[in-house]
Amino acid sequence: MKNFTVETDSDGIALITWDMPEKSMNVIDATVMDELEALIEQVESDDSIKGAVITSGKKAFGAGADLTMLQSMLGTYAEEKSKDAQKAMAMLYEASSRLSLALRRLETGRKAWVAAINGTALGGCFEIALACHARVLSDDESITLGLPEAKVGLLPGGGGTQRIARLVNPQDGVQMLLQGKNQRPKKAKQLNLVHEIVPAAELIERSMQLIRDGLKPAAPWDQKGFKAPLNLWSPTGMQMLAAGNAILRKESYGNYPNAINIMKCVYEGLQLPMDTALKVEARYFAHTLTTPEARAMVRSLFINMQELNKGARRPDVETASIKKVGVIGAGFMGAGIAYVTAKAGMEVVLIDRDQEAAEKGKSYSEGLLDKAIKHRHSTEEKKQALLNLITATTDYDKLNDCDLIVEAVFEDKAIKKTVTEQTDAATADSCIFASNTSTIPISDLAKASKNPEKFIGIHFFSPVDKMMLVEIIMGEQTGDEALAMAVDYVMAIKKTPIVVNDSRGFYVNRCVMRYLSEAWNMLIEGVPVPMIDNVAKMAGMPVGPLTLNDAVAIDLSQKVIKQTIADLGEGAEDPRHIALINTLVDDHGRLGKKVGKGFYDYPPKPAKAALWPELKELYPQLSADDVLVQDLKDRYLYTIAMEAARTVEEGVVSDIREADVGAILGFGFAPYTGGPLSFIDETGLENFRLRAEELAKKYGSHFAPTPLINEMAANGDTFYNRFANDQAA
Ligand code: NAD
């Protein structure tokens, strides 16, 4: 066998070690499936084998199913569907239930199986462990166990929904399935996911001993008298499911078919014996696979994101490894950048105008680490080691041996120019200089540099330690070395890089501005104020635009508007928007959450934020009956999607995978769509064009289809057909 080795000891216990050659992680692909089925048969039929222990030869136990295999399965399904829909579905059902059937065979066979979980086990790999008759876990706090399928629009199809529902208390179990939440060892034991936690060195021996001691080859649910933790017919069971459905509805507005199917699997499955319950799960799994949501989410949030995380956009040039990074400006962003850089093991020189400001920036890391220690995610030693990597100073000479500089001083061209010149004087020619500007074109800032080809944008999102996206911006003269180092740096700090060309607002903020300004339009039209954020959430946005605007600051919107007018002239901004923002900021001091008042009032906790009552006095209110909810939902999705299409058309975005991934990670664009370009593709170009024209007639010319959309609609094209060939998406 290619992926597994089997050694049987004198007691007849087979030790099966899974170690895929040429892969850093074990995953379930077609060959593994074939071999796993053969192994299960071998253990079952070989009378000299008493039982089997399955473990991994790698650091982790396994990462789950190879989703590219699922993608190709869906390709075959789509092809077959056009010829014979029924046959296509039958083929998909058969292919997608293979793991489930094999594991049921393992579970109901004559031999005892133990999973010796030596490292992280996720998705299908954890489902293998769940089907074993005992699970022994290595005592290592860094291990996580879980079924993250829900995060990519899927559901666990290898028996996961049924075994979790029979093992774990209902509240935690359903949440684990719906949120795809991973568990650390201690919690996993509490939840009944594993039987024992033992020191790593004893893992295999202990697992074998369980078989020697006569472990029964039968799952609890296959034994007489089994009671699942959730009795559907008890008062708690009734309440749990009603409340669970209501919470799901409130949180996802029915946008995620996989989540609804997970609930159905649990509800229906718990009323059935295991074999039938697994068939129910298999049907919902196959159905989920055929939904556009699953297709788009797997592509954007798994395949494309993984490729970008592996440096798909890195040019093939040699660069020095990054050992030392200078961060200039120890304010809100600089402090966060210093933290994530040191956390990745790089030395940081953190500079500000005076020592106090520099130290304050460093103390931000201390605060985060203290919190992590409190939650047992870090230790005092790790904290000291990280803080030792950060030198807080005002001295530019300390930058002399830095490989990379990230500038995060005030958003002011003149200050940034001075800082660039001072840094150039202190650093080697090979040093790459990156600006974290959010609005100033990189090519403009690069004019201050002695080396414009070494000048690039590395645009973080706040809060830096939480946001997973970093936008890399190419100036007109930025060279490959700068890009390679920027991509290396973003990968080193374990975030996802997207690479875009210079443009006002780059990519992500251009889309965000559309989102906010559509909310301003609605406010001005008199759409009942509470509907503005609520409908955005119904459309799938995690944060409503007014809440988002408060969080990023309304005076920042005012600054952006002023700068745009200064650069492009009066006509560049809608006078109604200017009036709205000026009224809030200048007349009422409503600068946003930071001052406790913006579109919302933020009273001290525990009181909750509430919309500023006077907002509805500013504009005459329509009645809710006069507003079409579907129109409001579409306005958000279409205005952002159209902007994303524009960035492709203008060459700001040159890789469509990045437009989709960037919008989801950058500001949470309705994840079930797979991103704005996937949204257009799944809607169909002609449908999208027609609806956009309709919206343009009713709500303004910014909805009018762009020439590219018109052309693609006329040719029956899609973004992923047309642009993905050269990007392997
Ligand atoms: P901030 O005001 O919190 O911090 C700026 C820091 O720069 C201050 O500590 C200031 O003392 C320091 N500084 C100013 N002049 C300096 C000089 N000559 N030398 C050294 N230090 C100097 O601002 P911020 O929110 O951290 O923003 C910093 C940059 O990041 C801006 O370019 C901003 O556009 C960009 N940015 C901000 C956000 C955000 O959400 N705040 C997001 C992305 C990018």
Side-chain angles (χ1 to χ4, degrees):
M1 281 191 186
K2 188 172 141 212
N3 302 298
F4 297 90
T5 52
V6 186
E7 287 169 76
T8 308
D9 73 2
S10 53
D11 291 331
I13 300 170
L15 175 63
I16 299 170
T17 307
W18 183 8
D19 194 350
M20 297 175 82
E22 296 147 27
K23 287 232 189 244
S24 58
M25 277 270 196
N26 290 329
V27 289
I28 302 174
D29 62 12
T31 353
V32 166
M33 228 18 266
D34 291 341
E35 293 183 4
L36 189 64
E37 283 169 345
L39 270 173
I40 295 168
E41 286 317 317
Q42 186 189 332
V43 171
E44 184 61 17
S45 59
D46 185 340
D47 285 336
S48 68
I49 298 181
K50 270 210 190 90
V53 170
I54 182 163
T55 191
S56 146
K58 304 207 185 285
K59 187 168 183 287
F61 186 81
D66 178 355
L67 292 188
T68 45
M69 175 180 83
L70 277 188
Q71 227 193 7
S72 81
M73 222 154 81
L74 289 178
T76 321
Y77 166 75
E79 239 170 65
E80 190 59 40
K81 195 175 157 206
S82 53
K83 292 181 242 152
D84 182 343
Q86 208 173 351
K87 189 171 158 216
M89 197 62 213
M91 275 170 60
L92 184 68
Y93 177 75
E94 196 186 317
S96 62
S97 36
R98 259 181 96 184
L99 179 64
S100 180
L101 286 171
L103 294 180
R104 185 60 179 154
R105 173 100 175 111
L106 176 160
E107 187 173 60
T108 54
R110 296 179 299 137
K111 310 292 172 69
W113 282 73
V114 179
I117 311 171
N118 58 307
T120 289
L122 301 174
C125 297
F126 186 47
E127 288 179 301
I128 296 178
L130 284 173
C132 289
H133 305 107
R135 286 168 290 288
V136 184
L137 179 62
S138 181
D139 183 10
D140 172 353
E141 262 304 303
S142 69
I143 292 179
T144 54
L145 303 178
L147 299 170
E149 286 83 350
K151 287 188 186 157
V152 288
L154 299 176
L155 58 85
T161 63
Q162 298 312 309
R163 295 193 176 92
I164 292 291
R166 284 163 176 78
L167 278 171
V168 181
N169 77 70
Q171 212 156 344
D172 286 326
V174 170
Q175 260 188 33
M176 197 179 148
L177 293 167
L178 286 176
Q179 296 171 355
K181 199 173 159 201
N182 296 340
Q183 311 294 347
R184 298 270 173 196
K186 223 178 253 162
K187 182 79 181 169
K189 176 84 175 47
Q190 270 171 21
L191 291 178
N192 201 23
L193 291 171
V194 295
H195 297 83
E196 286 184 35
I197 301 179
V198 301
E202 295 165 24
L203 180 71
I204 302 299
E205 182 43 38
R206 180 63 197 143
S207 304
M208 290 181 144
Q209 191 58 41
L210 286 175
I211 299 175
R212 279 189 211 110
D213 291 347
L215 176 70
K216 206 168 165 187
W221 37 90
D222 291 322
Q223 299 183 45
K224 248 193 165 164
F226 170 73
K227 284 201 174 74
L230 176 64
N231 174 359
L232 288 177
W233 310 113
S234 68
T236 330
M238 295 286 188
Q239 276 174 16
M240 233 294 300
L241 279 161
N245 272 328
I247 294 170
L248 176 63
R249 191 80 211 165
K250 180 172 174 270
E251 284 176 359
S252 66
Y253 296 93
N255 285 325
Y256 293 84
N258 65 321
I260 297 167
N261 284 345
I262 286 174
M263 288 302 265
K264 288 180 176 173
C265 283
V266 173
Y267 177 69
E268 293 173 31
L270 278 180
Q271 301 177 62
L272 297 164
M274 193 62 164
D275 287 301
T276 325
L278 288 171
K279 280 192 192 138
V280 167
E281 180 196 80
R283 284 186 182 221
Y284 283 122
F285 181 56
H287 167 257
T288 304
L289 281 178
T290 62
T291 60
E293 289 83 356
R295 189 167 49 233
M297 285 176 81
V298 166
R299 184 174 62 197
S300 292
L301 291 172
F302 185 79
I303 296 171
N304 291 348
M305 200 155 100
Q306 209 173 44
E307 284 163 1
L308 298 178
N309 286 342
K310 283 187 190 155
R313 294 299 309 280
R314 189 193 189 284
D316 190 13
V317 292
E318 289 262 330
T319 50
S321 71
I322 310 168
K323 293 192 190 68
K324 198 165 180 179
V325 177
V327 178
I328 310 181
F332 180 56
M333 296 302 285
I337 297 168
Y339 171 73
V340 296
T341 309
K343 193 160 176 251
M346 290 172 264
E347 276 184 75
V348 177
V349 179
L350 180 59
I351 291 194
D352 209 297
R353 290 176 297 179
D354 55 56
Q355 189 62 28
E356 198 187 336
E359 294 291 350
K360 187 167 171 242
K362 181 173 172 176
S363 69
Y364 176 76
S365 289
E366 200 169 350
L368 286 180
L369 289 160
D370 284 339
K371 229 187 248 171
I373 293 173
K374 207 169 136 203
H375 292 107
R376 304 223 201 139
H377 294 149
S378 192
T379 59
E380 203 54 49
E381 298 82 75
K382 282 190 188 155
K383 171 181 153 187
Q384 271 322 316
L386 191 148
L387 291 178
N388 287 344
L389 286 172
I390 305 177
T391 306
T393 179
T394 56
D395 182 3
Y396 277 70
D397 286 344
K398 292 218 165 73
L399 297 173
N400 71 335
D401 54 350
C402 282
D403 306 294
L404 170 72
I405 305 293
V406 183
E407 165 278 303
V409 299
F410 295 141
E411 188 72 343
D412 177 308
K413 246 191 240 182
I415 298 177
K416 287 193 192 286
K417 179 170 186 282
T418 315
V419 166
T420 309
E421 287 163 357
Q422 269 177 292
T423 310
D424 273 355
T427 51
D429 277 352
S430 59
C431 181
I432 303 295
F433 187 102
S435 173
N436 181 44
T437 176
S438 29
T439 51
I440 311 172
I442 292 300
S443 307
D444 274 6
L445 292 175
K447 286 185 190 139
S449 165
K450 66 175 177 193
N451 255 339
E453 74 279 8
K454 299 259 163 68
F455 197 103
I456 195 163
I458 299 188
H459 181 218
F460 284 85
F461 296 86
S462 80
V464 175
D465 57 304
K466 294 230 170 67
M467 297 296 286
M468 294 315 294
L469 185 75
V470 177
E471 199 174 22
I472 295 173
I473 300 114
M474 299 290 285
E476 272 158 27
Q477 296 185 57
T478 307
D480 275 357
E481 255 178 67
L483 175 57
M485 190 173 280
V487 172
D488 288 347
Y489 169 67
V490 177
M491 289 199 303
I493 57 172
K494 297 208 165 55
K495 296 193 186 284
T496 300
I498 63 168
V499 182
V500 304
N501 290 316
D502 216 358
S503 141
R504 180 173 299 279
F506 314 127
Y507 168 66
V508 173
N509 284 348
R510 276 180 67 161
C511 294
V512 173
M513 277 310 292
R514 289 286 172 180
Y515 183 40
L516 302 187
S517 66
E518 203 51 32
W520 301 340
N521 287 340
M522 291 180 193
L523 194 61
I524 292 160
E525 288 162 23
V527 170
V529 184
M531 288 180 85
I532 296 174
D533 270 3
N534 286 343
V535 173
K537 284 193 236 158
M538 288 170 74
M541 306 297 291
V543 182
L546 300 183
T547 306
L548 182 67
N549 207 161
D550 277 354
V552 296
I554 305 177
D555 58 323
L556 185 65
S557 299
Q558 190 184 42
K559 279 188 198 134
V560 172
I561 289 174
K562 281 186 180 160
Q563 191 62 49
T564 309
I565 291 173
D567 293 348
L568 303 179
E570 280 290 338
E573 290 285 350
D574 184 333
R576 300 169 317 152
H577 293 172
I578 304 173
L580 165 65
I581 297 300
N582 287 349
T583 304
L584 283 161
V585 174
D586 301 337
D587 302 349
H588 297 278
R590 305 197 71 91
L591 310 189
K593 195 172 178 189
K594 61 182 177 183
V595 297
K597 46 187 198 168
F599 290 102
Y600 288 79
D601 281 319
Y602 298 88
K605 279 181 181 168
K608 283 196 176 147
L611 278 162
W612 179 40
E614 279 176 50
L615 263 185
K616 51 180 189 293
E617 314 299 329
L618 292 180
Y619 301 98
Q621 296 285 284
L622 296 166
S623 136
D625 294 341
D626 295 331
V627 177
L628 288 174
V629 169
Q630 191 58 46
D631 276 11
L632 299 188
K633 280 162 70 173
D634 283 353
R635 284 171 69 176
Y636 287 129
L637 299 179
Y638 275 68
T639 191
I640 297 169
M642 196 65 81
E643 189 67 13
R646 251 179 233 118
T647 63
V648 174
E649 206 157 349
E650 292 168 15
V652 174
V653 164
S654 52
D655 181 329
I656 58 165
R657 293 174 293 186
E658 297 182 321
D660 276 347
V661 172
I664 298 177
L665 294 190
F667 62 98
F669 182 84
Y672 67 89
T673 62
L677 299 181
S678 287
F679 169 70
I680 301 177
D681 277 3
E682 291 293 347
T683 305
L685 265 290
E686 179 59 4
N687 291 339
F688 181 83
R689 186 189 70 78
L690 287 170
R691 178 68 172 143
E693 277 187 343
E694 208 174 17
L695 293 173
K697 275 195 203 116
K698 283 166 95 170
Y699 304 107
S701 60
H702 53 295
F703 287 107
T706 66
L708 178 67
I709 295 285
N710 283 328
E711 184 218 306
M712 285 172 66
N715 295 333
D717 219 340
T718 65
F719 279 95
Y720 276 85
N721 266 341
R722 172 150 169 178
F723 296 101
N725 286 346
D726 40 332
Q727 291 156 6

